[in-house]
Each structure stands twice: as C-alpha cells, then as structure tokens.
C-alpha cells in the first residue's frame, strides 16, 4: 500500500481568546503534540496581540504559530495594519491569507490576496492561502471556476520557487462554522482539481488542507483522501481535546497503511 503524505493540521482561532484561557490551551496543545508521530505537523494561527504569548509558550515545542492576516504593505502610514516582518518578529512561521471571512467582510479580492501572499513569502512566512466557493456558486456549478480563479490569481504572481513554499486550504464557505462539513468525496474532488493547478506550476507537493467543520468525528475520513494533506481547523481548535484528536486522526493516516 502507498505511504500517505505527511499531514499538517493548523488551528485558526479567529477572534477568540484571552490571555488566561490561551495559556491553558497552548500548553495543552504543546504537550499533546509532543506525543504525535513525526509525520504530523501542527500549527496555530492566533489573533495578533497573542503572538508574543504563543511564542513564549510554544517555542521549543512541536507546534508552529502565526497570524490570520497580513498587510499588503511592508511598512508605513497604514493605521491598523500589521506587516509580515512584525509577525516574523514574534517567531511566527505561518500566516493565513484570503480567509473567506476576510474576503467577505473586508472585501479582499483575488489580487489583494495574491499580494499578501507575496509579502508573506518575502518575509519568510508560510502563507496558508484559502480558497472556496459559496453554496450558491456550488449549486450553480461554478465551483471549479471560482476556486480556479482564486488559486490562479495567486500562482500567477509567484515563481515556481515561491509557489512550492505556500500551503493551500480549500474551505467551502458553506462548511465554515456551520457544523456541515463537505463529504470526503466532495473535498477530494476539489483538492484533485487544485492539485492539477499546482502540478502545472511545478508545485505538486504543496500541502492541500481542507477546512470547514473539521471535527474529531470526521477528521480521519477526510484525511484518508489522497489529496487531503491535513486540515485548517476553526471552532474545534479552541478545545484542546478536539484539536488534539484531529491531530491524532492525521497521525493515524499519515503512516504506512
Ligand atoms: C476556519 O475558520 O478556517 C474554519 C474552517 O472554521 P470551522 O472549522 O469552525 O468550520
């Protein structure tokens, strides 16, 4: 039987957390991650003010950390913005770009997401580029067109050497925070489509994460799919037992079957 790819599981805390509860969560995740097989990598993307706390509590652990957005600018008079270099200052290695909540509530378009990806790469961060369709787009049969345009806008701005350094997360918008995950077949189908785009760019080994109501109950089935290299986990990343159970599910399918 073929060996599965290594898996990556990243928590997206969104706008949740307070210092005291974060400390308990980060310590539990760091402790649990130490028991995971080498074939599973783990990360958490926290609100900007908690990057220092993540650094203090996760440094030296198996858990990487980072932010949920980055400015398109490198520095200057951009009140409220956070530059990639600032994120790096706190030892981060990850940053989410193009999350659907940013695309929807902050009107971030494909071009802006592509520029943010470039800024992240220039600073040495691994951008987790999110793509995904709405329910209306899926029902109208526009799913491939939508995610194709989203990924192409980013890949068009990158060299092949840069493209191999990104992570892509397929997050169908109808599955985010709704409790209604895509089935493993639905997710695999889009992942295979995205993989073709990456192959064409010479970036076939880019990890393709699935996001959208990943939980302990569905994680293993999703992660068994050949083009699902792990998960971007929202709600369940706030509960250490659930998050670690998802990481363990990744571990269970990332060894020789
Ligand atoms: C997300 O925020 O990226 C996400 C996938 O959320 P949830 O797991 O809660 O659906």
């Amino acid at each position: 039987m073929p060996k599965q790819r290594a898996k990556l599981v990243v928590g997206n805390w969104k706008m949740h957390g307070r210092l005291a509860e974060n400390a308990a969560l980060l310590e539990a995740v760091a402790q649990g991650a130490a028991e995971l097989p080498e074939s599973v990598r783990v990360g958490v993307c926290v609100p900007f003010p908690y990057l220092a706390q993540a650094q203090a509590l996760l440094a030296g652990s198996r858990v990487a950390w980072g932010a949920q957005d980055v400015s398109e600018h490198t520095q200057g008079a951009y009140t409220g913005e956070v530059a990639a270099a600032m994120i790096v200052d706190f030892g981060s290695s990850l940053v989410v770009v193009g999350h659907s909540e940013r695309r929807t509530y902050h009107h971030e378009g494909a071009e802006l997401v592509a520029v943010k990806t470039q800024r992240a790469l220039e600073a040495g961060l691994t951008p987790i580029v999110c793509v995904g369709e709405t329910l209306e787009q899926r029902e109208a049969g526009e799913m491939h067109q939508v995610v194709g345009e989203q990924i192409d806008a980013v890949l068009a701005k990158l060299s092949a050497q840069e493209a191999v350094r990104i992570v892509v997360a397929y997050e169908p918008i109808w599955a985010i925070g709704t409790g209604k995950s895509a089935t493993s077949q639905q997710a695999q189908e889009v992942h295979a489509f995205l993989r073709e785009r990456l192959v064409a760019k010479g970036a076939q080994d880019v990890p393709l994460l699935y996001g959208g109501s990943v939980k302990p109950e569905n994680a293993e089935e999703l992660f068994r799919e050949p083009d699902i290299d792990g998960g971007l986990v929202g709600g369940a990343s706030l509960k250490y037992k659930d998050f670690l159970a998802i990481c363990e599910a990744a571990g269970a399918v990332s060894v020789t079957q």
Side-chain angles (χ1 to χ4, degrees), residues 89-108:
D89 264 348
F90 292 92
S92 310
S93 56
L94 303 169
V95 66
V96 176
V97 291
H99 192 281
S100 61
E101 288 153 14
R102 301 240 25 119
R103 292 183 193 257
T104 304
Y105 306 137
H106 302 273
H107 314 291
E108 294 192 3

Side-chain angles (χ1 to χ4, degrees), residues 12 14 99 101 171 175-178 211-214 232-236:
N12 170 21
K14 311 196 190 206
H99 192 281
E101 288 153 14
E171 299 209 309
I176 297 179
T178 59
S213 298
V214 177
L232 183 57
V233 183

Side-chain angles (χ1 to χ4, degrees), residues 139-160:
E139 286 174 350
E142 294 165 3
M143 165 182 89
H144 287 166
Q145 191 196 327
V146 170
V147 300
E149 283 172 8
Q150 289 172 339
I151 193 69
D152 285 351
V154 172
L155 293 179
K157 282 228 185 291
L158 307 182
S159 66

Side-chain angles (χ1 to χ4, degrees), residues 123-237:
L125 292 166
T126 297
I128 302 174
V129 180
C130 300
V131 299
E133 81 287 357
T134 63
L135 188 58
E136 295 70 38
Q137 288 164 334
R138 175 169 276 262
E139 286 174 350
E142 294 165 3
M143 165 182 89
H144 287 166
Q145 191 196 327
V146 170
V147 300
E149 283 172 8
Q150 289 172 339
I151 193 69
D152 285 351
V154 172
L155 293 179
K157 282 228 185 291
L158 307 182
S159 66
Q161 289 85 343
E162 288 168 329
V164 298
R165 293 173 45 215
I166 70 171
V167 168
V168 174
Y170 168 57
E171 299 209 309
I173 295 169
W174 46 273
I176 297 179
T178 59
K180 184 178 184 288
S181 167
T183 64
S184 52
Q185 290 85 354
Q186 284 173 322
Q188 166 59 28
E189 202 266 318
V190 179
H191 280 230
F193 170 81
L194 289 166
R195 183 82 67 200
E196 280 174 28
R197 293 293 223 265
L198 292 164
V199 168
K201 187 78 189 181
Q204 55 278 358
D205 291 331
V206 157
L208 270 171
L209 311 185
Y210 167 77
S213 298
V214 177
K215 26 188 187 235
E217 301 77 49
N218 61 14
E220 188 168 326
E221 191 182 333
L222 286 159
F223 298 162
R224 268 187 198 288
E225 295 294 337
D227 288 299
I228 301 184
D229 303 319
L232 183 57
V233 183
S237 72

Side-chain angles (χ1 to χ4, degrees), residues 10 13 27 31 50 68 70 76 87 115-116 119 123 130 135 148 150-151 155 179 200-201 211 232 234 248:
V10 179
W13 285 10
E27 278 162 5
Q31 219 172 7
Y50 300 131
Q68 302 166 15
V70 62
I87 298 170
V115 175
K116 288 184 173 202
R119 290 295 92 81
C130 300
L135 188 58
Q150 289 172 339
I151 193 69
L155 293 179
K201 187 78 189 181
L232 183 57
E248 280 159 21

Side-chain angles (χ1 to χ4, degrees), residues 32-48:
E35 309 299 321
L36 293 168
E38 290 293 318
S39 50
V40 183
R41 291 184 295 141
V42 182
V44 288
C45 289
V46 304
F48 291 127

